[in-house]
Amino acid sequence: MSTVRSPQPASLAGLEPAEAARRLAEHGPNLLPGSAPRTLWSMVAGVLLEPMFLMLLVAGGLYLALGDRAEAAFLLSFVFVVIGITLAQEHKTQRALESLRELSAPRALVVRGGEEIRVPGREVVVGDLLVLHEGDRIAADAVLLDGHLDVNESLLTGEAVPVTKLAGREAGQLFASTVVTKGVGVAEVHAIAGATAVGRIGQALADTVEPVSGLQLASRRLIRNLTVGGLLLATAYALLGWLWDGHGLLESVLAGIALTMAILPEEIPVILTVFLALGAWRISKHKVLTRRVPAVEALGAISVLAADKTGTLTQNRMQVAELRLTDDSAHGEGATELPELFHELVEFAMLATPADPFDPMEKAIQQFGLHWLTDTEHVHAEWAPEFEYALSPDILAMTHVFRGDVRHAHLLATKGAPEAVIDLCHLPDAEAAAILRQVEAMAERGLRVLGVARGEWQGAAWPRSQHDFDFRFLGLVGFVDPPRPEVPAAIAECRGAGVRVIMMTGDHPATAQAIARQVGLSERAEVITGAELDALDDTALRERLRHVDLCARLKPEQKLRLVRLLREDGEVVAMTGDGVNDAPALKAADVGVAMGERGTDVAREAAALVLLDDSFASIVSAIRQGRRIYDNITKATRFVFAVHMPIIALALVPTLLHWPVLLMPVHIVLLELLIDPACSVVYEADPAADDIMRRPPRAPSDSPFAAANLRHAVIQGLGFAAILLLGYGLLLDQGLDAAQSRSAVFIALVLGLFLLTLANRDLSRPALARLPARNPWLPRMFGAVALMLAAVVGLPFLRGVMGLAVPGALALLATIGMLAAAVVWLELLRRRARGTARKAAAR
């Protein structure tokens, strides 16, 4: 429940939309100085420093030195092709990231043309009226015109204690980027962007800088090690060719460069950057905003989903469902009138509620009261509280104090947790127990229950605590918040995926149990409460959590403790939250999930993901997408290592066996132009496997670079390389010239790339079994492969540069034989791998 909100003065109509648009165009967006997106030149510079690109330039220069201008021109022309492809990928990735940043930018609630509308923080202009609630990050420097606030200004002052702000020029000065911790108010903007206090002292908010993920760190180590090893091997290979085979120095260096280009798997960084960024963009289509891209990596490993109840599992659309008096008289839904007996209960529930509330239960109280009590003496729209006692951790109730009549100097209206209101009324044990039984019965039906009391006060000074008043208990108000219709199916999907769902709520234990039953959250009825939790040490609580799925009457700091203990127990935890005090738990979780509709700015900034529709089903969709993305990264990594094996072997072995050169730098560059799109486009777009949500979560230690995954890829590639080398040797033995033999092997190698692409999409099925697949990029890739082969073999200029010939009957027959052998090899390897996996599972 919120604290008292002063009604917005009727005179505060705000700017007209047209005037706001004019000021935005004139003064620019409300953006603090930050890091700019990468420029075109910085992208080009990044390409120029890539090892593959440097090798390309050196090889082109050496061909010029050798006098082979045609091959040099052809090779150097790829410089521009590589730049173009890289810039296109960079632009696509950056565009995805920028769209995510635009979505995740802070928002502001402003008054324009007399209406409250929510706009991006960048569109706030001087003169705008900001409507501020608890948890909001203030969008610009402003002066509080109405209401009162407590504001955390630690960003500016370093002081963590909130500062109280009252309406007025001096006492109501608000600063951009500070956070409202309590209260509601209306403020007028007088400075934006660099003119704010934050801008002036240089504490600008920069664009989100994404931290490097664990996968990216692992890939960089792998690339660094392979680069060092490849350079050493290529140097030794070049020296061997020069000193042992008697090749010229330049020719030997060219062979070494070709080998280095074959060894370097420079596609790995491309895979991770593109897959994670575009994955985040795809997840946003499922109403889940990724604020920190590395969180995409953790989604597939989530084993525990700690979900808030209200608004996530339920619709967050409260309505009064039941009234109950102390004599057990009840009024339920469907009644056509409200008996006089219940008027006082509703009257004081309304008096204990702000006139213009933000909290869903308080809105329900006002709507219910106005519906039944309008035109009666029990509605007091003109009354304003003289004083209030807000909710506190010690007393979960709030009291409004009103000036009374001649008989009563002051009238008190209180509502809150039934236990707290009962305690304030100082009821006898028997009466208190009877009311608590009523509360239990209502909660078991899934109702959230508030107690209501009234009191009188004759004193001149306000007591320090609500306990010092005398209250009379009036009755109970029960609210219903029905589950979202999609939640039961989503929870069932989580259970099938091995993801345990734990409810963490501040509600009554019986209410939590009722909702859990309705959505099928858990078959275990046991609940642990905040009070019980505090009585347990970490070891005992960790053990208890293994057997309990419902946690009720929790405070924010208790949620943080639970998240930490679950993580210490080896779980990968996703946590949902919406309030200022949920931020520590959201930050402590492996994947913090904030509510987009009802969540505070602080919660959204602390979280890695933001639910744009506050729906639990959206979290499950995000987990499914996270698993798909991780699967596709694993497939693409396997393909990269598999495809580099034959390229390395075909560049290295012929020279060692004194055969004619098979692969030259120009061939390798052409192959790289096929490998890159296969990784970053075809695999990225691969749909999720049918069983993706029927598997247990992957272990956090799993990696696409795990030995088992790379070993399978290397064996795949080496077997294919052996087939191609055997075919090349047999063709040479048959007296076929080098150009014809090279053409047969090169065509088989290029088509084999497509075969390896199919084989690594699904290790559970034969390579050609899913040819009519759901991936729209597969036929496009095959078309590009066929077109490229037709060009390099059919066009005389390209054919000469590549050292190829139009294949004769024997060469074509050999190509078909090599591809058939490759299909058999991949199928044998797949069956062996499946058999090994079954034996391991059986053990």
Side-chain angles (χ1 to χ4, degrees), residues 763-799:
L763 295 182
S764 67
R765 302 186 186 185
L768 300 178
R770 294 188 69 184
L771 199 53
R774 295 169 288 170
N775 191 327
W777 286 99
L778 273 175
R780 298 172 194 174
M781 181 190 172
F782 184 76
V785 168
L787 191 62
M788 188 273 287
L789 278 178
V792 297
V793 175
L795 299 177
F797 171 74
L798 294 179
R799 191 166 62 240

Side-chain angles (χ1 to χ4, degrees), residues 566-650:
L566 285 166
R567 293 193 68 214
E568 288 173 9
D569 209 28
E571 305 286 359
V572 179
V573 182
M575 162 81 189
T576 69
D578 60 357
V580 176
N581 292 331
D582 286 330
L586 291 172
K587 204 164 187 179
D590 295 281
V591 181
V593 184
M595 303 297 107
E597 291 183 345
R598 62 189 172 90
T600 62
D601 285 346
V602 174
R604 285 193 289 267
E605 289 182 13
L609 303 179
V610 177
L611 296 184
L612 300 180
D613 59 357
D614 289 7
S615 171
F616 179 84
S618 296
I619 308 177
V620 181
S621 295
I623 292 174
R624 187 186 304 111
Q625 286 296 315
R627 290 187 174 193
R628 182 192 70 82
I629 291 162
Y630 183 86
D631 276 3
N632 289 349
I633 290 175
T634 302
K635 296 175 191 176
T637 302
R638 192 166 56 234
F639 167 77
V640 166
F641 278 84
V643 86
H644 272 269
M645 290 300 106
I647 296 175
I648 294 170
L650 298 186

Side-chain angles (χ1 to χ4, degrees), residues 52-75:
M52 180 65 71
F53 187 82
L54 295 175
M55 296 289 175
L56 203 57
L57 287 178
V58 172
L62 288 176
Y63 274 117
L64 280 177
L66 290 171
D68 195 341
R69 295 182 180 178
E71 190 149 354
F74 186 69
L75 198 61

Side-chain angles (χ1 to χ4, degrees), residues 5-278:
R5 171 178 175 175
S6 301
Q8 182 183 313
S11 59
L12 299 182
L15 298 174
E16 289 299 319
E19 174 60 18
R22 187 192 68 77
R23 294 188 185 189
L24 180 63
E26 180 180 349
H27 301 294
N30 178 35
L31 292 176
L32 294 168
S35 58
R38 289 188 67 187
T39 64
L40 176 65
W41 293 114
S42 68
M43 292 183 194
V44 172
V47 176
L48 294 175
L49 295 175
E50 285 291 331
M52 180 65 71
F53 187 82
L54 295 175
M55 296 289 175
L56 203 57
L57 287 178
V58 172
L62 288 176
Y63 274 117
L64 280 177
L66 290 171
D68 195 341
R69 295 182 180 178
E71 190 149 354
F74 186 69
L75 198 61
L76 291 173
S77 67
F78 280 114
V79 169
F80 301 101
V81 177
V82 172
I83 289 177
I85 290 176
T86 305
L87 291 183
Q89 288 174 334
E90 283 271 2
H91 177 67
K92 191 174 183 181
T93 300
Q94 185 167 299
R95 188 172 58 187
L97 289 173
E98 289 301 322
S99 67
L100 291 174
R101 286 182 184 133
E102 183 69 24
L103 281 171
S104 64
R107 299 178 299 166
L109 188 63
V110 300
V111 181
R112 288 184 182 169
E115 295 184 0
E116 292 185 3
I117 61 171
R118 195 169 289 280
V119 300
R122 58 178 293 149
E123 294 182 10
V124 171
V125 298
V126 173
D128 259 330
L129 295 182
L130 299 176
V131 180
L132 300 168
H133 296 94
E134 176 182 323
D136 286 349
R137 185 171 291 278
I138 299 171
D141 283 8
V143 173
L144 189 64
L145 301 180
D146 188 62
H148 63 271
L149 307 171
D150 284 354
V151 180
N152 184 333
E153 296 183 345
S154 58
L155 177 69
L156 297 172
T157 65
E159 178 57 57
V161 178
V163 179
T164 299
K165 302 289 183 177
L166 304 174
R169 177 60 58 179
E170 294 298 326
Q173 179 61 54
L174 305 174
F175 300 103
S177 301
T178 58
V179 179
V180 178
T181 60
K182 181 180 177 183
V184 180
V186 179
E188 182 178 1
V189 174
H190 63 78
I192 62 170
T196 61
V198 175
R200 286 196 303 272
I201 65 175
Q203 297 205 13
L205 292 176
D207 289 337
T208 303
V209 178
E210 307 298 342
V212 179
S213 72
L215 282 180
Q216 289 169 324
L217 288 173
S219 74
R220 289 178 183 179
R221 285 194 298 269
L222 182 67
I223 296 296
R224 183 174 63 246
N225 294 338
L226 289 175
T227 299
V228 172
L231 288 172
L232 292 175
L233 181 61
T235 302
Y237 176 66
L239 290 173
L240 187 66
W242 179 40
L243 298 175
W244 182 40
D245 285 341
H247 295 152
L249 178 60
L250 291 179
E251 187 178 352
S252 298
V253 172
L254 274 175
I257 288 173
L259 181 59
T260 305
M261 294 170 71
I263 291 173
L264 289 178
E266 77 288 341
E267 301 88 359
I268 297 296
V270 173
I271 289 171
L272 295 181
T273 303
V274 171
F275 278 44
L276 292 178
L278 293 184

Side-chain angles (χ1 to χ4, degrees), residues 528-550:
I528 186 170
T529 65
E532 294 171 318
L533 187 150
D534 284 340
L536 298 174
D537 61 23
D538 285 355
T539 303
L541 180 56
R542 194 181 294 115
E543 179 61 31
R544 183 83 182 275
L545 274 177
R546 293 172 185 160
H547 309 287
V548 177
D549 297 322
L550 304 178

